[in-house]
């Protein structure tokens, strides 16, 4: 497995974990009105911890294959990044529109719900981006 | 009529050059080993620049490395 593919896996898994934590928080707050923690501390604390984990894992794989880590992306890797970003763009576009539509028209919705929907769209977009990269790397595309 | 596709002889050319490894070829043309593998398998069509670099490494004309049929 190439350095870039490992990197995509690390980012995908870290975002998936963050999405899980965030989803758990959002469901508790929105559906069960449980406010037993400070949402800002919880969300940004989790985000910070996962960014630190992602950096640590990237350092670990860079130490494992230092030459690959130093080598700039070649044309195929740049193309894979562009294709995944293109797919992610449409995901974000649809997700943002859906968030706005639902946020404005759902009964009892407020700015917090809209923010949570937008955050969900962003997390989904990142998962789609790195997921597409993994699929393309796996296919030797 | 069957659709045309790009074919290549990189595997044979590497074999003829004392089993040059994919990594060695990759290093000489400035791409990753995975990219050389994808080109060899016909799953990725390289840019003209990389195609010419491959031909230069093997010291053969471009149409001996790639063909469109």
């Amino acid at each position: 497995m190439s350095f870039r593919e490992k990197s995509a896996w690390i980012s995908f898994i870290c975002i998936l974990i963050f999405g899980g934590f965030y989803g758990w928080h959002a469901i508790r707050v929105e559906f069960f009105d449980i406010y037993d923690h400070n949402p800002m501390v919880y969300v940004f604390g989790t985000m910070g911890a996962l960014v630190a984990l992602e950096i640590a894992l990237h350092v670990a794989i860079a130490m494992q294959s230092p030459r690959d880590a130093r080598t700039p992306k070649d044309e195929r890797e740049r193309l894979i990044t562009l294709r995944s970003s293109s797919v992610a763009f449409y995901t974000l576009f649809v997700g943002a529109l859906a968030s706005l539509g639902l946020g404005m028209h759902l009964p009892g919705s407020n700015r917090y719900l809209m923010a949570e929907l937008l955050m969900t769209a962003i997390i989904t977009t990142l998962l789609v981006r790195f997921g597409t990269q993994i699929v393309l790397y796996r296919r030797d595309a | 009529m069957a659709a045309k596709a790009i074919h290549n002889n990189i595997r044979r050319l590497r074999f003829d050059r004392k089993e040059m490894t994919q990594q060695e070829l990759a290093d000489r043309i400035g791409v990753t080993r995975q990219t050389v593998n994808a080109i060899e398998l016909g799953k990725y069509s390289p840019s003209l620049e990389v195609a010419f670099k491959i031909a230069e490494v093997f010291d053969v004309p471009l149409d001996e490395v790639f063909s469109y049929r």
Side-chain angles (χ1 to χ4, degrees):
Chain A
M1 196 186 290
S2 71
F3 173 78
R4 312 280 174 211
E5 189 182 339
K6 285 179 195 164
S7 167
W9 272 109
I10 288 170
S11 299
F12 182 85
I13 290 167
C14 285
I15 291 161
L16 193 65
I17 294 169
F18 175 73
F21 275 103
Y22 185 79
W24 181 71
H25 153 77
I27 288 168
R28 278 158 53 95
V29 168
E30 288 301 328
F31 295 107
F32 301 105
D33 283 334
I34 300 171
Y35 293 92
D36 59 354
H37 55 272
N38 183 331
M40 297 304 275
V41 172
Y42 177 83
V43 171
F44 288 105
T46 310
M47 196 184 284
L50 284 166
V51 167
L53 175 68
E54 189 168 346
I55 290 169
L57 289 172
H58 272 97
V59 169
I61 61 166
M63 285 167 70
Q64 197 183 25
S65 46
R67 194 175 66 170
D68 286 356
R70 275 198 308 272
T71 311
K73 282 183 181 176
D74 68 18
E75 58 178 41
R76 176 175 149 271
E77 291 169 334
R78 283 198 299 271
L79 189 64
I80 286 175
T81 306
L82 281 173
R83 286 168 73 182
S84 66
S85 297
S86 172
V87 175
F89 166 79
Y90 290 107
T91 310
L92 184 61
F93 187 80
V94 171
L97 281 182
S99 304
L100 290 173
L102 289 170
M104 284 194 296
H105 297 294
L106 272 182
S109 66
N110 53 41
R111 60 187 174 151
Y112 295 108
L113 177 67
M114 198 182 284
E116 277 159 5
L117 290 169
L118 273 172
M119 193 67 180
T120 305
I122 290 168
I123 292 167
T124 308
T125 298
L126 290 170
L127 287 174
V128 167
R129 183 169 187 265
F130 291 111
T132 306
Q133 284 182 20
I134 291 165
V135 169
L136 292 174
Y137 279 121
R138 288 280 89 195
R139 281 187 187 166
D140 275 331
Chain B
M1 195 175 85
K4 286 185 171 183
I6 296 174
H7 298 267
N8 70 78
N9 297 314
I10 296 174
R11 177 72 192 90
R12 182 181 59 74
L13 289 163
R14 285 198 302 111
F15 182 80
D16 292 346
R17 300 300 186 281
K18 296 177 185 171
E19 277 289 342
M20 177 192 284
T21 62
Q22 287 184 339
Q23 186 63 62
E24 195 180 339
L25 176 60
D27 290 343
R28 291 179 69 175
I29 61 174
V31 300
T32 61
R33 188 198 63 75
Q34 287 77 14
T35 296
V36 168
N37 187 52
I39 295 170
E40 228 177 81
L41 294 173
K43 292 184 174 180
Y44 172 69
S45 298
S47 65
L48 264 179
E49 187 184 354
V50 168
F52 274 109
K53 281 181 179 174
I54 294 170
E56 192 176 67
V57 167
F58 292 126
D59 197 23
V60 293
L62 190 61
D63 61 1
E64 199 172 312
V65 184
F66 294 98
S67 57
Y68 183 61
R69 53 193 157 79

